[in-house]
């Protein structure tokens, strides 16, 4: 069996999804996602110029050898672009493997460990009242876990992840269009004075059962993060995400020494080498890697297994930066992984997105039910894809009030 062609598509409804389709001489094809927010043309170019020419003629069933060829064969290893590009290839090869076996991918991993995987939704508000309405909307839809982000009084611009309306019709206040990033102003002191009380009010309003998550989005210094984590302990968060950048990994010890709040980190990591020490030293509780950005299923499984040995659960990244193909790869891992925790959920559900990526995956009452179709269980409609093209866009940057560039 041989790979005969591989095509790369860039575009989608409101997002520059980078979609890879690998074709074979047996008519079976596989799909993968190489979307990387704000850098989409780079994974597309890496695939088209370097990886695809090296794929043609290979046996698609040898996904491990192909992974090793691209990883070890690239003398300058890793990095987000390379790993996301192999990630798309790897997921597409697993899709082919599942279709050849006539089995959904979770069966190839070891079968289902659960029916329905817990997901969390994004509730946001320009202010706390607006956020409370947004949380209430998700609770009414049956969600059991909700991430909460709201505007901070007096903060000159929106804080991370805030949207201006409720329910499923939300627009992030930040404008992601244009190649030059928008700039937001951040103030850690205002945030630290306001947010612990706001989280306590959310807990008081929604009671003990709701799983509440909060994303600090790398904005605090390690000492501030430790103080914040200590202060929010009574809220009993399901997790506190990215309280400080994980570049300085030893700094996370400071948070652990001062608080038992569960920590979720890793959405910007692209290999096991960025999280093995955090996992082995049990400095985190949830590993947030997105499957395609860590080189696909082959490498993600190694991270999941290592995490399982150290009581670290999965909480795969699922922001709209990933297409339903990445989400499907994660859904199959979520169905199987003995150390599954929760899945971030945003992508599936809009009619345009469903038309581009048809699938039988189903969300019900805050649980994700993986499809039993062979392979990933998601297709890609090339006629729909022809409606879209690359739109220049960029993630914003953050500055302090005095102009100092900060962590976004
Ligand atoms: O691409 C960057 C976004 O996906 C990221 O900012 C979202 O922090 C995020 C999250 O937790 O989903
Ligand atoms: Mg995050």
């Amino acid at each position: 069996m041989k790979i005969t062609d591989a095509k790369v598509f860039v575009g989608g409804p409101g997002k520059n999804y980078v979609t890879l389709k690998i074709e074979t001489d047996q008519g079976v094809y596989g799909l993968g996602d190489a979307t990387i927010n704000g850098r989409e043309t780079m994974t597309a170019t890496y695939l088209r110029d370097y990886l695809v020419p090296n794929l043609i003629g290979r046996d698609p069933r040898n996904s491990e050898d192909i992974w090793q060829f691209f990883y070890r064969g690239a003398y300058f290893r890793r990095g987000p672009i390379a790993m996301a590009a192999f990630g798309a290839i790897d997921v597409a090869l697993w899709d082919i493997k599942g279709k050849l076996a006539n089995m959904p991918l979770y069966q190839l991993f070891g079968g289902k460990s659960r029916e329905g995987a817990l997901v969390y939704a994004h509730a946001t508000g320009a202010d706390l009242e607006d956020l409370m309405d947004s949380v209430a909307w998700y609770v009414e839809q049956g969600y059991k876990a909700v991430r909460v982000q709201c505007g901070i009084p007096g903060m000159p611009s929106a804080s991370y992840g805030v949207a201006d309306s409720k329910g499923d019709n939300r627009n992030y206040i930040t404008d992601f269009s244009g190649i030059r990033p928008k700039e937001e102003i951040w103030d850690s002191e205002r945030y630290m004075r306001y947010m612990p009380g706001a989280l306590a009010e959310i807990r008081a309003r929604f009671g003990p059962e709701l799983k509440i998550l909060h994303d600090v989005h790398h904005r605090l210094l390690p000492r501030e993060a430790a103080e914040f984590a200590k202060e929010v302990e009574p809220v009993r968060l399901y997790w506190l995400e990215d309280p400080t950048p994980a570049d300085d990994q030893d700094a996370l010890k400071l948070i652990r020494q001062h608080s038992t709040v569960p920590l979720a980190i890793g959405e910007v990591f692209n290999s096991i080498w960025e999280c093995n020490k955090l996992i082995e030293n049990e400095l985190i509780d949830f590993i947030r890697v997105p499957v395609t950005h860590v080189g696909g299923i082959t490498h993600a499984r190694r991270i999941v297994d290592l995490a399982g040995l150290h009581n670290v659960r999965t909480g795969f990244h699922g922001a709209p930066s990933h297409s339903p193909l990445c989400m499907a790869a994660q859904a199959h891992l979520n169905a199987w992984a003995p150390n599954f925790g929760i899945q971030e959920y945003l992508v599936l559900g809009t009619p345009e997105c469903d038309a581009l990526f048809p699938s039988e995956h189903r969300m019900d009452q805050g649980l994700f039910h993986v499809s039993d179709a062979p392979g990933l269980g998601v297709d890609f409609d090339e006629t729909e894809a022809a409606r879209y093209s690359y739109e220049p866009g960029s993630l914003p940057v953050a500055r302090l009030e005095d102009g100092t560039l900060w962590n976004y």
Side-chain angles (χ1 to χ4, degrees):
M1 184 173 185
K2 285 193 173 15
I3 295 172
T4 49
D5 197 8
K7 296 182 205 147
V8 182
F9 302 81
V10 184
K15 272 280 148 194
N16 292 311
Y17 293 131
V18 182
T19 305
L20 175 72
K21 181 171 185 178
I22 297 183
E23 292 172 345
T24 67
D25 58 359
Q26 314 229 334
V28 181
Y29 59 87
L31 297 166
D33 174 28
T35 312
I36 194 154
N37 234 355
R39 296 288 184 272
E40 297 90 347
T41 56
M42 298 186 74
T43 45
T45 302
Y46 194 50
L47 278 162
R48 285 184 187 126
D49 292 356
Y50 300 98
L51 305 182
V52 167
N54 277 291
L55 264 182
I56 311 299
R58 288 181 196 275
D59 186 333
R61 295 169 296 187
N62 295 335
S63 49
E64 182 70 55
D65 183 64
I66 292 174
W67 197 93
Q68 298 294 338
F69 176 83
F70 287 132
Y71 182 83
R72 291 177 193 271
Y75 183 65
F76 301 102
R77 286 180 191 177
R78 301 197 284 273
I81 305 300
M83 294 302 277
F86 314 158
I89 292 175
D90 186 73
V91 168
L93 297 180
W94 276 90
D95 190 24
I96 291 171
K97 212 184 284 301
K99 287 171 177 165
L100 291 174
N102 199 27
M103 283 183 189
L105 283 188
Y106 69 79
Q107 288 293 6
L108 303 186
F109 304 153
K112 269 191 193 171
S113 302
R114 59 196 56 79
E115 292 300 331
L118 180 70
V119 307
Y120 71 91
H122 281 201
T124 74
D127 57 30
L128 184 56
E129 255 332 288
D130 196 21
L131 172 60
M132 294 277 200
D133 290 348
S134 174
V135 176
W137 187 88
Y138 283 110
V139 170
E140 277 161 29
Q141 305 302 305
Y143 285 89
K144 295 157 183 60
V146 182
R147 185 189 87 159
V148 298
Q149 308 294 126
C150 73
I152 307 296
M155 189 92 86
S157 59
S159 55
Y160 169 72
V162 169
D164 66 356
S165 63
K166 300 165 196 79
D168 58 353
N169 184 26
R170 293 160 303 117
N171 295 309
Y172 280 96
I173 287 171
T174 309
D175 176 2
F176 297 95
S177 64
I179 208 67
R180 291 177 79 112
K182 307 291 176 302
E183 298 195 354
E184 295 181 352
I185 305 296
W186 172 256
D187 179 340
S188 297
E189 286 175 27
R190 276 205 174 87
Y191 170 80
M192 286 179 64
R193 276 199 302 272
Y194 184 73
M195 206 59 212
L199 291 171
E201 283 188 48
I202 296 167
R203 171 60 75 212
R205 171 101 152 247
F206 292 94
E209 295 291 326
L210 183 69
K211 296 185 197 321
I212 300 173
L213 299 81
H214 179 63
D215 189 353
V216 186
H217 220 255
H218 322 272
R219 296 287 169 90
L220 299 178
L221 297 170
R223 191 215 58 79
E224 294 168 336
E227 182 186 322
F228 188 86
K230 185 161 79 173
E231 209 176 337
V232 300
E233 249 180 28
V235 178
R236 305 198 72 81
L237 292 177
Y238 185 80
W239 82 30
L240 184 67
E241 180 178 336
D242 290 328
T244 191
D247 299 349
D248 176 7
Q249 301 202 341
D250 279 347
L252 294 173
K253 288 183 196 151
L254 195 64
I255 307 178
R256 275 293 204 231
Q257 282 157 3
H258 292 278
S259 172
T260 55
V261 70
L263 298 177
I265 291 186
E267 69 180 43
V268 298
F269 295 168
N270 51 69
S271 79
I272 199 166
W273 301 108
E274 281 159 291
C275 54
N276 61 327
K277 295 290 172 231
L278 295 181
I279 292 171
E280 285 159 9
N281 294 320
E282 304 193 8
L283 291 176
I284 56 173
D285 300 279
F286 294 91
I287 180 70
R288 291 271 294 138
V289 292
V291 163
T292 54
H293 289 187
V294 289
I297 291 167
T298 297
H299 197 67
R301 281 189 68 182
R302 296 193 168 118
I303 297 176
V304 173
D305 282 336
L306 178 68
L309 297 177
H310 294 280
N311 307 302
V312 174
R313 288 184 282 163
T314 61
F316 294 133
H317 193 218
S321 5
H322 310 293
S323 90
L325 293 164
C326 172
M327 293 297 283
Q330 297 185 166
H332 285 280
L333 288 168
N334 292 340
W336 153 76
N339 53 327
F340 166 73
I342 197 165
Q343 172 63 57
E344 183 177 17
Y345 177 79
L346 265 122
V347 176
L348 304 178
T350 69
E352 296 81 8
C353 200
D354 288 350
L356 185 59
F357 297 103
S359 89
E360 299 291 312
H361 295 295
R362 192 168 52 82
M363 251 305 285
D364 186 33
Q365 299 291 303
L367 298 179
F368 194 97
H369 296 269
V370 71
S371 150
D372 285 325
L376 281 176
V378 178
D379 211 344
F380 180 64
D381 186 326
E382 290 185 44
T383 314
E384 277 292 313
R387 294 174 51 198
Y388 304 105
S389 56
Y390 171 70
E391 297 289 339
S394 185
L395 285 172
V397 297
R399 287 188 189 274
L400 303 182
E401 267 177 298
D402 70 357
T404 307
L405 199 83
W406 206 240
N407 308 306
Y408 186 69

